[in-house]
């Protein structure tokens, strides 16, 4: 089986399409919203600023990369955690206060101790596509927008 989208994917708690609060503020909160290729889409419900963005995730001595696929867990407009500069903790209180969901491929890459990874802690940041190094996360790169 060959996946149609990147198996190295994750969710962050900011749904810029379906959550009314996030949709209303997305053009002013998302740092790249006015960059070329993104500007002018603030009212376009078929365009996500978040989907397919690259994220570097570190756990211990491991570093892996993934693309944002969806939103969650438990919260959908946690702008302070996702975009803040003061190292805010997630608003989410479910799932041991998780700030992201990761795919099975990222779980394995990072060496999580459990399949659900609720006790694992990571450090993460957004990275531009040109700063994503070669690795298994580049075998299939997702480019599709929301459907």
């Amino acid at each position: 089986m060959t996946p149609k989208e990147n198996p190295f994917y994750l969710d962050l708690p900011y749904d810029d399409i379906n959550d009314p609060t996030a949709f209303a503020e997305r053009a002013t909160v998302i740092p790249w919203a006015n960059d070329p290729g993104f500007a002018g889409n603030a009212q376009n419900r078929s365009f996500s600023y978040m989907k397919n963005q690259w994220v570097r995730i570190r756990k211990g001595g491991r570093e892996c990369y993934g693309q944002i696929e969806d939103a969650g867990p438990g919260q959908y407009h946690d702008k302070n955690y996702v975009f803040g500069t003061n190292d805010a903790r997630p608003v989410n209180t479910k799932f041991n206060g998780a700030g992201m969901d990761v795919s099975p491929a990222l779980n394995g890459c990072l060496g999580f101790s459990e399949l659900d990874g609720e006790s694992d802690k990571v450090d993460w940041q957004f990275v531009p596509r040109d700063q994503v190094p070669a690795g298994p996360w580049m075998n299939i790169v997702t480019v599709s927008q929301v459907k």
Side-chain angles (χ1 to χ4, degrees):
M1 178 184 110
T2 301
K4 293 184 178 181
E5 295 199 356
N6 195 337
F8 290 82
Y9 63 87
L10 63 133
D11 304 339
L12 287 174
Y14 199 83
D15 185 345
D16 72 317
I17 297 289
N18 300 304
D19 182 88
T21 300
F23 184 80
E25 68 188 13
R26 68 189 194 152
T28 59
V29 171
I30 299 174
W32 54 87
N34 293 306
D35 290 354
F38 295 94
N41 282 294
Q43 298 306 312
N44 182 352
R45 288 202 177 267
S46 297
F47 184 89
S48 172
Y49 293 101
M50 297 296 291
K51 187 172 185 309
N52 304 330
Q53 290 300 307
W54 285 96
V55 175
R56 175 176 45 220
I57 308 169
R58 294 180 180 140
K59 180 184 177 293
R62 297 180 182 216
E63 181 174 279
C64 305
Y65 293 77
Q67 288 183 278
I68 297 174
E69 178 63 28
D70 203 351
Q75 293 288 323
Y76 301 97
H77 56 260
D78 190 352
K79 68 182 176 188
N80 292 329
Y81 172 68
V82 177
F83 305 111
T85 57
N86 62 352
D87 198 27
R89 300 296 81 201
V91 172
N92 176 45
T93 57
K94 299 176 185 177
F95 320 111
N96 201 25
M100 71 170 52
D101 285 325
V102 299
S103 68
L106 277 172
N107 180 309
C109 180
L110 292 163
F112 277 15
S113 59
E114 305 171 48
L115 182 58
D116 65 11
E118 285 186 22
S119 63
D120 292 288
K121 307 290 185 204
V122 298
D123 175 48
W124 68 272
Q125 69 184 101
F126 294 108
V127 291
R129 164 63 185 85
D130 64 358
Q131 291 181 19
V132 177
W137 41 80
M138 294 298 288
N139 291 343
I140 299 171
V141 175
T142 302
V143 295
S144 64
Q145 260 298 328
V146 296
K147 295 177 183 170

